Amino acid sequence: MTEIEIRVQRFDAPESQALIKAALADLGERYGGSGDDTPVDAAEFEPPAGAFLVAYLGGQPVGCGGWRSHGDDGEAAELKRMYTAPAARGRGVARAVLAAVERSAREQGRNRIILECGDKQPEAIAMYTSAGYERIPNFGFYQDAPGCLSFGRTL
């Protein structure tokens, strides 16, 4: 099995954007529309306020995820744009990205990580709950949308 390599990338880098575009297309197929209309600015993913990570298998970008600061106290990070390309699923890419995102947020002083997810993403929900995430009150752009599920975990 090829080793997964995780690299910090700019959110607006071409490889990041290609994966984000695929992630939004996947969400669009599940939910309709653009997939996710949450306002996102590439600058939010610049250290120390955030980070964006890309996973590679055999030198090819196959997954991504990032975090941005959440709230005014500097203690929480919000997980955004988690995605694994279909051909790389089932190989541990998402778990490797999630662990790297958590580590990055912790290294920048965050002690909690939160995320929004939809009820039409059973594989994501299963991964998050198996990684220790628990349901929290909904927050963010989709907090009042039907099917919105929010999760959080102490880092």
Side-chain angles (χ1 to χ4, degrees), residues 8-85:
V8 176
Q9 287 281 10
R10 291 184 50 86
F11 185 87
D12 55 4
E15 289 179 342
S16 302
Q17 285 297 302
L19 289 164
I20 291 165
K21 183 178 177 182
L24 293 174
D26 180 79
L27 291 172
E29 288 177 20
R30 294 174 195 247
Y31 300 101
S34 69
D36 186 353
D37 292 322
T38 304
V40 174
D41 182 336
E44 296 173 313
F45 297 88
E46 292 293 324
F52 197 76
L53 306 166
V54 173
Y56 296 82
L57 277 174
Q60 297 301 308
V62 296
C64 63
W67 69 272
R68 63 183 182 177
S69 295
H70 181 83
D72 296 327
D73 62 9
E75 294 186 9
E78 180 185 7
L79 181 68
K80 292 298 296 175
R81 302 297 185 246
M82 282 287 294
Y83 176 73
T84 302

Side-chain angles (χ1 to χ4, degrees), residues 129-146:
T129 57
S130 72
Y133 285 75
E134 297 177 344
R135 285 292 310 274
I136 61 171
N138 285 347
F139 71 94
F141 191 80
Y142 289 104
Q143 70 184 24
D144 297 323

